[in-house]
Amino acid sequence: MKTVYVLEHAIDGLTENMRLLGVYDSKQEAEKAIKTLSDKPGFKDHLDDFLIDEYELNKLCWSSGF
């Protein structure tokens, strides 16, 4: 099983404000990216809006509720 970690930033949890920032092979790498971005404009005032989601490769993640 191979897992990836998707890093996003969504101000106030709003999807229209969501930015896909990167896909990483470990949670630690995603956390390092947050540290790199945390003092940049657009991020530094919204530090609680970073999201890291874990996904298994080659697996359907959403199969119902469309």
Side-chain angles (χ1 to χ4, degrees):
M1 173 177 76
K2 179 66 177 166
T3 302
V4 295
Y5 297 84
V6 175
L7 175 60
E8 297 174 307
H9 190 259
I11 297 174
D12 298 325
L14 299 173
T15 55
E16 61 266 15
N17 293 326
M18 185 172 285
R19 300 173 185 163
L20 174 61
L21 302 175
V23 180
Y24 299 89
D25 63 356
S26 71
K27 187 173 182 180
Q28 293 78 16
E29 289 297 318
E31 290 168 343
K32 283 182 2 184
I34 290 172
K35 288 180 185 174
T36 299
L37 294 169
S38 64
D39 65 343
K40 306 286 189 262
F43 299 108
K44 66 182 179 182
D45 295 329
H46 302 280
L47 296 177
D48 293 334
D49 294 321
F50 285 101
L51 307 165
I52 300 174
D53 291 314
E54 180 179 349
Y55 292 96
E56 184 180 335
L57 289 178
N58 301 318
K59 179 181 177 186
L60 184 60
C61 298
W62 188 1
S63 60
S64 65
F66 298 100

